[in-house]
């Protein structure tokens, strides 16, 4: 069990992934063949059955892309994602040290956490992996990222990030801007940008792994320059933008031919 994303982050390398929020093993194959480091299977906003989630994770492994699950608010979501073979989890709305401790409790085995133990599931190769080696490998290789999406979380950043078992943070820029009251301007509002700068500065000062979301290549590069190590693009938005571009270019061509 080797998590190539976690290994790269330990070496200080930058990694790139893509969110996907609908059931499509084919799209995950394309993400892998395109060369992404990881895929974020989005249970928070997506719609997946447990078996579909497992198939998406299996597909990711087949094309060499690390499967990460952004879990839902269901109490069993962390357990189910990890038992199905997820190599990492992103947890929405971690607002306090108590929230972070609860995440670790669900994601890590005893003594650090209280994750339920079983060896009959897919992550343990249906019983082929068992005992101390499986438990230790799982705890060491799975990456756990806490979402910072509210001003409460910003104020509690150090307490959240310092919880043993939390590997880093993920800035949810859209949720943060809404929480701050800037629904119209979003993350581009100057006050939101000030908070984002503060988060990056604190992360750099404490050598904290920091992730965020980007909408395009420019956004990816800007995030890296600010100090992000782990960037996820929204696959749905990229696909939609590409489709709209085809229609727009086609209309422009038609007008040029038939003015």
């Amino acid at each position: 069990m080797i998590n190539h994303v976690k290994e790269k982050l330990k070496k200080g390398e930058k990694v790139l992934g893509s969110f996907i929020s609908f059931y499509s093993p084919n799209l995950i194959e394309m993400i892998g063949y395109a060369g992404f480091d990881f895929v974020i299977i989005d249970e928070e906003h997506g719609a997946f059955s447990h078996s579909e989630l497992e198939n998406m994770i299996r597909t990711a492994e087949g094309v060499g892309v690390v499967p990460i699950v952004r879990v839902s608010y269901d109490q069993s979501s962390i357990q189910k994602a990890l038992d199905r073979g997820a190599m990492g989890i992103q947890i929405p709305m971690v607002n306090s040290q108590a929230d972070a401790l609860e995440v670790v409790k669900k994601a890590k085995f005893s003594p650090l956490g209280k994750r339920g133990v079983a060896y009959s599931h897919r992550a343990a190769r249906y019983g082929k992996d068992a005992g101390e080696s499986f438990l230790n490998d799982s705890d060491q290789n799975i990456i756990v990222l806490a979402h910072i999406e509210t001003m409460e979380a910003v104020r509690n950043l150090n307490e959240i990030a310092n919880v043993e078992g939390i590997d880093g943070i993920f800035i949810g820029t859209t949720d943060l801007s809404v929480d701050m009251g800037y629904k119209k301007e979003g993350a581009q509002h100057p006050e939101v940008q000030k908070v984002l700068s503060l988060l990056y500065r604190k992360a750099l000062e404490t050598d904290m792994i920091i992730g965020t979301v980007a909408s395009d290549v420019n956004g990816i590069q800007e995030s890296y320059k600010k100090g992000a190590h782990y960037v996820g693009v929204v696959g749905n938005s990229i696909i939609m933008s590409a489709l709209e571009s085809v229609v727009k270019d086609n209309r422009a061509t038609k007008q040029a031919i038939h003015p």
Side-chain angles (χ1 to χ4, degrees):
M1 180 188 293
I2 299 175
N3 186 333
H4 296 293
V5 164
K6 195 167 185 177
E7 291 300 309
K8 287 182 178 181
L9 290 171
K10 285 179 180 178
K11 296 175 184 177
E13 297 179 30
K14 311 289 189 183
V15 292
L16 178 65
S18 176
F19 283 89
I20 178 170
S21 61
F22 54 87
Y23 181 64
S24 178
N26 306 74
L27 181 55
I28 288 186
E29 285 183 322
M30 286 186 265
I31 289 168
Y33 294 143
F36 283 81
D37 296 296
F38 60 96
V39 61
I40 306 166
I41 304 168
D42 188 2
E43 270 208 305
E44 183 190 14
H45 296 293
F48 310 101
S49 68
H50 298 315
S51 60
E52 287 174 341
L53 174 64
E54 186 169 296
N55 282 336
M56 304 252 296
I57 291 170
R58 181 182 290 112
T59 302
E61 292 173 351
V63 290
V65 61
V66 174
I68 310 289
V69 176
R70 176 159 70 174
V71 298
S72 70
Y73 299 100
D74 186 300
Q75 289 296 305
S76 66
S77 185
I78 291 174
Q79 177 87 51
K80 291 186 184 301
L82 297 180
D83 284 356
R84 279 156 179 77
M87 293 300 295
I89 52 172
Q90 293 184 203
I91 306 90
M93 294 294 172
V94 179
N95 295 318
S96 65
Q97 184 183 61
D99 289 346
L101 288 167
E102 189 62 26
V103 167
V104 173
K105 181 180 177 180
K106 290 184 172 69
K108 302 291 184 179
F109 293 113
S110 182
L112 185 56
K114 295 294 181 184
R115 177 182 165 189
V117 179
Y119 304 119
S120 59
H121 51 65
R122 184 174 179 275
R125 297 196 300 164
Y126 309 105
K128 286 182 67 65
D129 298 332
E132 186 177 12
S133 60
F134 169 75
L135 303 179
N136 290 342
D137 284 349
S138 181
D139 280 350
Q140 291 169 10
N141 284 287
I142 287 166
I143 188 167
V144 179
L145 300 176
H147 277 226
I148 304 299
E149 303 178 290
T150 67
M151 283 306 297
E152 179 185 3
V154 172
R155 291 190 291 269
N156 295 324
L157 177 66
N158 290 335
E159 289 81 0
I160 292 169
N162 288 332
V163 168
E164 185 179 1
I166 298 293
D167 295 298
I169 64 166
F170 188 93
I171 303 174
T173 53
T174 302
D175 278 301
L176 180 59
S177 60
V178 171
D179 184 72
M180 292 177 66
Y182 302 112
K183 298 178 183 179
K184 182 178 180 181
E185 304 90 337
Q188 298 309 311
H189 192 282
E191 291 302 315
V192 180
Q193 286 296 310
K194 285 181 185 178
V195 173
L196 294 176
S197 296
L198 171 66
L199 289 171
Y200 280 112
R201 187 171 71 250
K202 285 188 174 183
L204 290 170
E205 289 172 354
T206 57
D207 201 27
M208 186 189 306
I209 290 174
I210 188 166
T212 193
V213 64
S215 58
D216 54 27
V217 173
N218 289 335
I220 294 167
Q221 295 304 315
E222 283 301 314
S223 297
Y224 287 151
K225 288 177 184 177
K226 290 176 182 177
H229 312 86
Y230 173 107
V231 178
V233 294
V234 182
N236 299 20
S237 298
I238 291 175
I239 293 169
M240 190 66 186
S241 178
L243 292 172
E244 289 179 333
S245 178
V246 170
V247 173
K248 181 180 178 181
D249 291 346
N250 181 59
R251 286 173 179 166
T253 301
K254 285 168 64 177
Q255 289 175 356
I257 297 173
H258 307 288

